[in-house]
Amino acid sequence: DSGVTQTPKHLITATGQRVTLRCSPRSGDLSVYWYQQSLDQGLQFLIQYYNGEERAKGNILERFSAQQFPDLHSELNLSSLELGDSALYFCASSVDGTVGNEQFFGPGTRLTVL
Amino acid sequence: AQKITQTQPGMFVQEKEAVTLDCTYDTSDPSYGLFWYKQPSSGEMIFLIYQGSYDQQNATEGRYSLNFQKARKSANLVISASQLGDSAMYFCAMSGGLSYNTDKLIFGTGTRLQVFP
């Protein structure tokens, strides 16, 4: 158990819908990352937050947005869902977001868009 | 741009033997970190080992060691005395250097390791 929690574990929805994925980092970790793992794109970095502020953006679609709340939990919002958005979405956290710190991964949310 | 390359889609190894999983990387930054993660069929990502670009010694963690050859830009993972439970997908990853204001991870495509009795 990494200490990072993600809910829900599985999500099945239809095209055009909107969903919210939730992540609670390890206690004391200030930095939260979102990654997408799909068959065709592999593991891709989406976005990073540090202590409530966006720090870096990766290949995140405009239909996707995220935020980190004052209690440091984070949410990833996916809207106007398409079949290609079906993937495993990971949240990870680290102490302070500096190079060399291990990123602890949550168990992931498996999103299926039908 | 930073890039990680894993050229072995799949590897087989017999139980109790050692195996090396290859990883090469590309970066122009002098400061970076290299990671290996294991992803079993259950899907979770498990951290195995870390090597910093300025570390003089190769990293070791139990049966895992990282063969870091900076000049060749390679960071191969060596698993000694393989066990059946080592069967999984293995990802090499890199985190950014000084020119990046983030330690986001860039992953390779992974190597599927199968350990047979």
Side-chain angles (χ1 to χ4, degrees):
Chain A
D1 186 349
S2 67
V4 179
T5 60
Q6 287 187 250
T7 56
K9 196 168 174 61
H10 299 278
L11 199 48
I12 301 174
T13 188
T15 54
Q17 295 298 305
R18 172 189 169 93
V19 297
T20 298
L21 313 184
R22 184 187 166 102
C23 166
S24 293
R26 288 189 328 152
S27 177
D29 284 359
L30 297 177
S31 199
V32 168
Y33 315 74
W34 287 97
Y35 294 89
Q36 178 195 58
Q37 185 177 28
S38 63
L39 284 174
D40 51 346
Q41 301 284 341
L43 262 163
Q44 286 197 107
F45 167 74
L46 295 179
I47 197 162
Q48 178 192 4
Y49 280 85
Y50 175 75
N51 205 18
E53 302 279 331
E54 181 185 303
R55 174 167 278 189
K57 245 179 180 176
N59 297 324
I60 187 166
L61 300 171
E62 283 191 16
R63 300 183 286 108
F64 296 1
S65 65
Q67 53 185 328
Q68 187 179 28
F69 295 88
D71 67 351
L72 301 177
H73 91 271
S74 177
E75 292 180 358
L76 179 67
N77 299 296
L78 315 177
S79 61
S80 303
L81 285 167
E82 302 175 0
L83 296 177
D85 298 328
S86 295
L88 186 54
Y89 291 85
F90 285 109
C91 169
S93 73
S94 74
V95 171
D96 59 9
T98 57
V99 175
N101 282 320
E102 177 187 344
Q103 290 185 25
F104 295 87
F105 280 72
T109 293
R110 185 167 295 281
L111 173 67
T112 303
V113 182
L114 300 175
Chain B
Q2 296 182 318
K3 188 178 178 183
I4 292 279
T5 302
Q6 294 179 256
T7 57
Q8 307 156 313
M11 289 283 286
F12 286 90
V13 66
Q14 190 166 30
E15 204 177 3
K16 298 179 187 171
E17 297 294 309
V19 63
T20 298
L21 306 184
D22 294 342
C23 172
T24 58
Y25 61 91
D26 191 22
T27 181
S28 56
D29 240 296
S31 174
Y32 50 88
L34 295 158
F35 299 77
W36 278 91
Y37 283 84
K38 171 184 178 182
Q39 186 177 38
S41 57
S42 51
E44 72 265 35
M45 294 289 285
I46 302 167
F47 166 77
L48 296 178
I49 197 166
Y50 166 79
Q51 179 85 42
S53 58
Y54 293 119
D55 293 344
Q56 296 295 317
Q57 308 266 6
N58 284 344
T60 59
E61 290 283 351
R63 294 186 299 109
Y64 304 108
S65 61
L66 200 151
N67 185 359
F68 182 46
Q69 297 188 42
K70 200 169 182 177
R72 299 178 67 178
K73 293 189 174 178
S74 75
N76 298 339
L77 177 70
V78 180
I79 305 175
S80 63
S82 297
Q83 301 172 356
L84 295 177
D86 294 334
S87 294
M89 197 75 168
Y90 289 80
F91 290 96
C92 180
M94 165 186 281
S95 63
L98 294 174
S99 58
Y100 302 91
N101 186 33
T102 172
D103 63 335
K104 67 180 183 186
L105 291 176
I106 296 164
F107 286 89
T109 51
T111 296
R112 183 166 299 282
L113 175 67
Q114 295 192 52
V115 182
F116 59 94

